[in-house]
Amino acid sequence: MAIDRAEVERIAELARLEIAPERMGRMATELSAVLEFVAALGRLDLARLAPSTFAPAGTPLRADELDDRRIPAAEALSAATEHDDGFFLVPPIVENVNP
Amino acid sequence: MSAPEAWRLSATALAARVRGGELAVDDAVEAGWRGPAGTWEAEVRAVVHADPAARAAARPREGPLAGVPVLVKDNICTTDYPTTCASRILAGYRPPYDATVVSRLRAAGAVVVGKGNMDEFAMGSSTEYSCYGPTRNPYDLDRVPGGSSGGPAAAVAYGLCPLALGSDTGGSVRQPAAFCGVLGLKPTYGRFSRYGLVAFGSSLDQVGIFARHTGDLAAAYAALAGPDPLDATTRPGEAPDVSGWRAGVTGLSFGWPANLWREGVDPEVVGGLEEAAARLERSGATRVTFDFLPGEYSVAAYYLVATAEASSNLARFDGVRYGFRHADSADLRALYTRTRSEGFGPEVQRRILLGTYALSAGYYDAYYLTAQRARTRIREEYRAAFARCDFLMMPAAPSLPFRLGEKIEDPLAMYLSDIFTIGANLAGIPGLSVPVGLSRAGLPLAVQMLGPEDGEPVLLRAAAVLEAGGEVARLEGEDTPEFAWPTKR
């Protein structure tokens, strides 16, 4: 199945990526080639099979085990470009609707 | 042996000398830096973060790996070095915690001597997709070391350290090990903790080990394997005992799915495989021939499952909490988009897009669910094979190390270089690549062995037989043979 430029744009939007216009055509071609290749799976008889679940055999799901280790807030924040007073700083999230 | 020659020692021999007081810890840890790194590192570029002060800070004299220098791949968290996944988006990031595999290494006496180069976020098979530039193969500097763990593989190959850690999501330990002439083990899924390994494809990722000797692999495996309360996907119960790695292969049977290499595989790779099989037979193992599902199906399933998981796992890199942040964004949406578009390299973006597509409304059933059904089919194929033999033999890669730039413009060709390794990740089983000689042009030849879940002890027994019988091995006055070291050309 081929992907066109509009489709690349749609998925890039979902993935929060911006593909430069001059790279768009090439990306569409490359993704289409991979999708064409994976279509080979259609040759396998898979109808009777259940999809694999995340947890592989031998690693049954279990409850999280909490311990009392803590990373101090200042240390956790220190890797961020911008932080202030114990918070991560980001650009405005909502417009000021009631100035 | 004089201190400067200590870099030639196996990890276990080095640790024994440190524990016995015959070798100073400093001489053990620094041997590779004072010796072969001076010859090789400027051209090979295996290491992306190093710090003599951090190396000097640890002076362990006890433990099974006392004083053993270990290079750790740049996607495994360390408090004393940055962890950037060779990506601009994590520039300068220094984690506030050690990965469990790193704390277990340190507890065993090992010293982390730096961080190894890799394809960005472990997405690649050549270590060319790194924000630090490529690593080169010490056996031929015009060729790739394989990937994605090319830095750790090349470092062990040229003698910086006898052990290194990588990660293997689709072959990223076994394929570079094969290209660099060292051993590379991907354990059973869940045997090594993933806590502190930056996630790529969570149902496929495993930390793996590079070594030059089977005994070193066994020692490192024993130090690292076992349940971890910090990783819910570790296997409960004790890890299998690998101390019997010298037991030989008498009475074992190996599967020989020759249909897999009838075409599309370098004849020298096939020749190395046949010689290794004959050696195992002479040592008492039995060959069982049968056909196996072609590897193309594994590659196809993998590039949907792995990219789907990656698109989800890499959503956390948004410029807010760590690493690179685009400087000029008017709103939060723009901050995310610009940070990710400038922070991720082209291959990572390609895979995020593919995974997002496979998971998106209208395509989920056709792609993601189909791939997960195929994964079930592939697991059944391995289960049926292991009902007939103790382990499987096949190539680690279809070709010898390829030239830099040879596949970088063709993503699909790059993906197909993992055709023999990807199945083990989909099935969650252990795999080990073992060097078996050099090609006519002097490039490493290797074979891969795959075992059932918790089959590591059998794989190590077979590796020890191949290592001891290696026709290119040469004795250096130690109790273990050495694979031919690379020579400068």
Side-chain angles (χ1 to χ4, degrees):
Chain A
M1 167 153 184
I3 287 193
D4 59 17
R5 296 167 73 106
E7 190 72 356
V8 175
E9 225 162 313
R10 185 186 71 90
I11 18 179
E13 170 91 11
L14 288 171
R16 302 289 184 266
L17 289 170
E18 204 167 40
I19 308 297
E22 66 272 16
R23 284 176 56 215
M24 199 62 98
R26 172 130 182 233
M27 187 64 90
T29 308
E30 287 169 348
L31 293 179
S32 298
V34 177
L35 289 178
E36 196 179 312
F37 178 79
V38 303
L41 293 177
R43 293 199 294 269
L44 293 176
D45 178 15
L46 302 173
R48 67 180 176 86
L49 296 174
S52 287
T53 52
F54 171 80
T59 62
L61 293 176
R62 62 158 171 82
D64 285 341
E65 293 175 33
L66 300 179
D67 64 22
D68 54 5
R69 297 176 325 145
R70 296 281 184 275
I71 293 173
E75 202 178 336
L77 287 163
S78 66
T81 308
E82 287 185 76
H83 57 90
D84 185 39
D85 196 22
F87 295 94
F88 295 107
L89 286 187
V90 295
I93 294 172
V94 286
E95 299 282 329
N96 188 350
V97 291
N98 192 16
Chain B
M1 182 172 279
S2 66
E5 282 291 290
W7 63 269
R8 307 184 79 101
L9 291 171
S10 67
T12 46
L14 193 73
R17 281 164 170 72
V18 168
R19 284 194 303 270
E22 300 151 53
L23 188 64
V25 185
D26 176 66
D27 288 333
V29 172
E30 296 296 327
W33 290 97
R34 292 173 190 154
T39 310
W40 293 105
E41 183 55 29
E43 286 170 289
V44 170
R45 301 177 69 88
V47 182
V48 294
H49 312 296
D51 178 3
R55 300 202 293 272
R59 285 291 172 259
R61 287 179 178 78
E62 293 304 324
L65 300 174
V68 173
V70 181
L71 188 73
V72 172
K73 189 177 181 180
D74 195 35
N75 62 347
I76 298 174
C77 289
T78 46
T79 50
D80 42 0
Y81 299 92
T83 297
T84 69
C85 298
S87 178
R88 191 173 174 219
I89 209 160
L90 274 171
Y93 175 61
R94 195 178 280 257
Y97 58 91
D98 275 338
T100 295
V101 287
V102 170
S103 30
R104 288 186 182 173
L105 271 184
R106 298 195 209 269
V111 176
V112 178
V113 294
K115 303 301 280 288
N117 200 13
M118 57 185 283
D119 286 297
E120 184 181 1
F121 281 101
M123 298 178 187
S125 308
S126 66
T127 317
E128 292 173 288
Y129 298 125
S130 162
C131 73
Y132 304 107
T135 294
R136 290 167 184 271
N137 192 317
Y139 284 87
D140 182 343
L141 295 170
D142 292 331
R143 292 178 189 268
V144 302
S148 65
S149 316
V156 172
Y158 80 62
L160 177 71
C161 45
L163 286 173
L165 293 187
S167 66
D168 189 315
T169 304
S172 281
V173 165
R174 290 161 288 152
Q175 184 255 24
F179 278 13
C180 290
V182 299
L183 294 149
L185 173 69
K186 180 202 96 74
T188 304
Y189 184 85
R191 267 306 164 214
F192 284 10
S193 169
R194 292 186 299 113
Y195 177 75
L197 167 68
V198 178
F200 159 13
S202 302
S203 75
L204 306 156
D205 295 339
Q206 269 295 279
V207 170
I209 311 166
F210 294 99
R212 292 193 296 259
H213 298 290
T214 310
D216 290 356
L217 265 191
Y221 180 88
L224 297 175
D228 177 12
L230 300 176
D231 174 4
T233 61
T234 48
R235 291 167 78 85
E238 288 300 300
D241 179 4
V242 292
S243 62
W245 59 273
R246 287 188 187 87
V249 292
T250 304
L252 295 180
S253 58
F254 63 89
W256 185 254
N259 67 303
L260 298 184
W261 52 87
R262 212 158 277 151
E263 56 187 55
V265 180
D266 187 294
E268 285 198 90
V269 170
V270 175
L273 189 65
E274 279 169 354
E275 264 184 49
R279 193 174 302 144
L280 290 173
E281 286 179 318
R282 286 197 300 275
S283 304
T286 314
R287 186 189 318 223
V288 187
T289 303
F290 49 79
D291 280 356
F292 198 84
L293 188 69
E296 284 81 1
Y297 294 111
S298 288
V299 178
Y302 176 87
Y303 277 93
L304 293 169
V305 173
T307 57
E309 293 184 14
S311 78
S312 168
N313 274 325
L314 271 58
R316 74 191 61 174
F317 300 104
D318 54 15
V320 173
R321 285 152 298 170
Y322 28 65
F324 168 74
R325 177 180 205 166
H326 188 273
D328 176 31
S329 306
D331 57 45
L332 192 62
R333 180 74 174 251
L335 172 74
Y336 292 159
T337 303
R338 289 180 182 173
T339 297
R340 289 164 60 81
S341 303
E342 287 188 22
F344 290 134
E347 177 61 19
V348 173
Q349 294 195 22
R350 191 153 43 228
R351 294 202 198 189
I352 290 174
L353 290 176
L354 190 58
T356 304
Y357 181 75
L359 289 174
S360 65
Y363 300 103
Y364 179 88
D365 284 8
Y367 289 109
Y368 184 70
L369 221 51
T370 300
Q372 289 289 36
R373 285 185 208 281
R375 189 174 183 180
T376 303
R377 169 77 178 77
I378 290 159
R379 285 180 177 175
E380 285 183 356
E381 186 82 3
Y382 281 102
R383 204 167 294 136
F386 293 126
R388 306 174 64 177
C389 62
D390 295 302
F391 63 98
L392 273 169
M393 284 194 81
M394 61 178 74
S399 72
L400 295 166
F402 45 90
R403 291 182 187 282
L404 268 84
E406 192 175 322
K407 299 191 179 185
I408 201 153
E409 299 295 328
D410 185 352
L412 198 52
M414 189 75 92
Y415 296 173
L416 285 167
S417 56
D418 296 334
I419 192 163
F420 291 115
T421 48
I422 271 173
N425 301 82
L426 291 168
I429 57 173
L432 171 58
S433 51
V434 183
V436 292
L438 295 178
S439 73
R440 286 188 298 275
L443 297 168
L445 290 169
V447 301
Q448 181 186 207
M449 296 178 294
L450 301 170
E453 287 173 12
D454 279 340
E456 285 88 337
V458 163
L459 299 184
L460 292 184
R461 282 166 62 187
V465 166
L466 294 178
E467 180 184 6
E471 280 153 25
V472 294
R474 56 199 166 88
L475 288 164
E476 291 285 346
E478 282 301 307
D479 57 354
T480 43
E482 289 186 349
F483 190 74
W485 292 97
T487 48
K488 200 89 175 187
R489 46 172 139 179

